[in-house]
Amino acid sequence: MCIPFEPKNIIVTGGCGFIGSNFVHYVVNNHPEVHVTVLDKLTYAGNPENIASLPKDRVELVVGDICDSALLDELIPGHDAIVHYAAESHNDNSINDPFPFLRTNVEGTYRLLESVRKYNIRYHHVSTDEVYGDLALDDPARFTEQTPYRPSSPYSSTKASSDMLVRAWTRTYGLRTTISNCSNNYGPYQHVEKFIPRQITNIIDGRRPKLYGSGENVRDWIYTEDHSSAVWDILTKGRIGETYLIGADGEKSNIEVLRMILRAMGRDADDFDWVADRPGHDRRYAIDSSKLRRELGWKPQHTDFAAGLKRTIKWYVENESWWRQAKAATEEKYQRNGQ
Ligand code: NAD
Ligand code: TDX
């Protein structure tokens, strides 16, 4: 029988990004006894507005780099857990310029692990299903915790490397860690470089959405808040040294998702452009999350994808000021790539 871990002071790295900030909101809303220190470098993907509405006595923002060991030494004492979200997270960027991915995703994780070792605090590592590579479109299999690592992109190879560091530091130094590998997240506050927000904001701007390759690639979608509740359950109830896959049975092809967006926004389902494919484009991701459900009793709450997509579209329509600044530069970058 596992005794639940009851953290009071946690550090959330990358807490101004899309998923990290959702987790901060989740903790503030559901666990009034917990104080959160967000450590975020505020790269192009980090926006302090994402957590600005939260009470200052519950959430403190420290602007800094996870690669800065001196800062970690200052920050960590007095905290009882780190939940590590900070990363360079976009596959297309990793293909154009892999180095920032090596630095933040690999060196950053190394720096954190060394500090965790020094101060002996609980560590949860947020990773991705992409470490397992891809599945064929007609393969009935899904990823499990036993699937061998086979990353395809510079991004996923750095995430896989970071997972390996966590496993090695856990076994060698006895750190108290867990790892989660989650499928594709969607919802408000996602950067406009990513598939769903890019298409929604293109339509708002009167541009045609852009579909890579054949459009048949499959992603397994989960609403961000369900990812956050799963990470909380793993942090507090997960078995030390274990990996848990997080997914909500949300497989859909890209063309299916795009047509749902077009219809929900009152446009013709064929009103989009086919563009150059992503090099090495993973075909299909699919998660079997039965270990997490069985062991920790976790269940996703937002499984109606059409409803989640409508909420997400509404948010982008109503929060143009949040994304407007990033849109032009993002599209220029895509245009240079023929995408
Ligand atoms: P994001 O790009 O929206 O946010 C990343 C955050 O990390 C930003 O706030 C950024 O400023 C911060 N950051 C980057 N480098 C940093 C550094 N060196 N030091 C401190 N902060 C730094 O990413 P996201 O989509 O929210 O993803 C968060 C995590 O979840 C990542 O680890 C990612 O691999 C993982 N993940 C994402 C998905 C997805 O669908 N987006 C799915 C599974 C797992
Ligand atoms: O304009 C586009 N057109 C298009 O067809 C974009 C931006 C993407 N795509 C395709 C590529 C993918 O098959 O849509 C799919 C989703 O693309 P992304 O949003 O870039 O996500 P993906 O590459 O699947 O990776 C995401 O999920 C796993 C996150 O970005 C990662 O951080 C996470 O680890």
Side-chain angles (χ1 to χ4, degrees):
M1 169 78 188
C2 179
I3 303 163
F5 172 58
E6 293 173 346
K8 294 284 180 286
N9 271 304
I10 66 174
I11 294 175
V12 176
T13 72
C16 291
F18 164 47
I19 308 177
S21 65
N22 187 278
F23 181 74
V24 177
H25 279 265
Y26 179 84
V27 172
V28 169
N29 293 336
N30 295 285
H31 300 284
E33 71 291 359
V34 180
H35 179 272
V36 181
T37 304
V38 169
L39 171 59
D40 198 300
K41 189 177 170 183
L42 300 184
T43 67
Y44 79 95
N47 188 341
E49 267 184 51
N50 298 4
I51 54 168
S53 65
L54 296 173
K56 299 287 171 270
D57 60 334
R58 300 284 315 279
V59 179
E60 183 193 358
L61 170 60
V62 175
V63 178
D65 191 331
I66 54 166
C67 296
D68 181 348
S69 296
L71 174 63
L72 296 179
D73 274 345
E74 241 175 75
L75 203 61
I76 291 177
H79 290 91
D80 36 28
I82 295 180
V83 184
H84 177 35
Y85 285 93
E88 286 293 336
S89 69
H90 191 40
N91 274 299
D92 293 316
N93 291 343
S94 82
I95 294 167
N96 290 331
D97 183 12
F99 183 67
F101 290 73
L102 282 155
R103 184 162 150 73
T104 287
N105 301 359
V106 184
E107 182 187 340
T109 300
Y110 158 74
R111 299 273 174 204
L112 284 168
L113 288 170
E114 282 295 88
S115 298
V116 166
R117 179 152 87 96
K118 198 158 160 189
Y119 298 103
N120 186 28
I121 77 171
R122 174 86 171 79
Y123 174 87
H124 178 72
H125 186 73
V126 176
S127 191
T128 170
D129 59 357
E130 296 193 16
V131 301
Y132 300 114
D134 63 353
L135 299 158
L137 294 178
D138 59 356
D139 185 345
R142 298 193 291 173
F143 299 137
T144 72
E145 289 78 6
Q146 278 70 48
T147 304
Y149 274 43
R150 202 170 53 86
S152 331
S153 75
Y155 161 69
S156 55
S157 70
T158 60
K159 291 298 289 186
S161 306
S162 69
D163 294 9
M164 294 301 168
L165 296 181
V166 177
R167 289 181 182 195
W169 262 242
T170 303
R171 174 152 171 179
T172 304
Y173 303 114
L175 303 191
R176 291 178 292 136
T177 72
T178 39
I179 298 175
S180 55
N181 298 86
C182 188
S183 61
N184 281 60
N185 285 223
Y186 75 102
Y189 295 99
Q190 187 168 31
H191 195 279
V192 291
E193 68 192 355
K194 302 288 188 340
F195 179 57
I196 289 178
R198 182 181 184 205
Q199 313 313 339
I200 295 171
T201 53
N202 272 358
I203 295 170
I204 294 172
D205 276 355
R207 278 177 212 251
R208 283 159 71 90
K210 312 288 177 202
L211 192 62
Y212 295 173
S214 67
E216 285 173 1
N217 307 61
V218 170
R219 296 295 181 264
D220 189 351
W221 294 99
I222 181 171
Y223 199 64
T224 337
E225 207 168 291
D226 285 329
H227 186 182
S228 294
S229 66
V231 167
W232 178 262
D233 285 357
I234 298 166
L235 175 71
T236 54
K237 300 186 285 184
R239 284 186 294 137
I240 296 300
E242 291 290 315
T243 290
Y244 294 89
L245 262 52
I246 305 172
D249 301 331
E251 280 187 68
K252 295 230 165 343
S253 70
N254 293 340
I255 192 164
E256 209 179 334
V257 173
L258 181 52
R259 288 193 161 133
M260 286 176 80
I261 296 172
L262 281 160
R263 286 197 194 97
M265 296 182 75
R267 298 280 288 268
D268 189 280
D270 288 323
D271 200 3
F272 64 86
D273 293 332
W274 302 95
V275 294
D277 205 358
R278 173 184 285 172
H281 197 174
D282 280 338
R283 292 160 297 173
R284 171 174 160 252
Y285 305 140
I287 287 273
D288 175 349
S289 60
S290 48
K291 175 179 173 182
L292 173 64
R293 294 172 193 238
R294 193 180 56 246
E295 279 192 17
L296 308 185
W298 173 83
K299 253 189 13 210
Q301 302 298 318
H302 305 276
T303 48
D304 181 342
F305 183 73
L309 201 54
K310 280 207 176 115
R311 266 202 306 282
T312 306
I313 292 169
K314 186 168 183 288
W315 188 87
Y316 282 91
V317 169
E318 289 172 355
N319 290 277
E320 187 173 332
S321 61
W322 182 88
W323 55 265
R324 172 57 62 203
Q325 210 193 341
K327 183 66 182 168
T330 304
E331 287 306 315
E332 267 165 39
K333 215 165 17 169
Y334 277 126
Q335 210 165 4
R336 281 198 298 275
N337 277 347
Q339 292 175 321

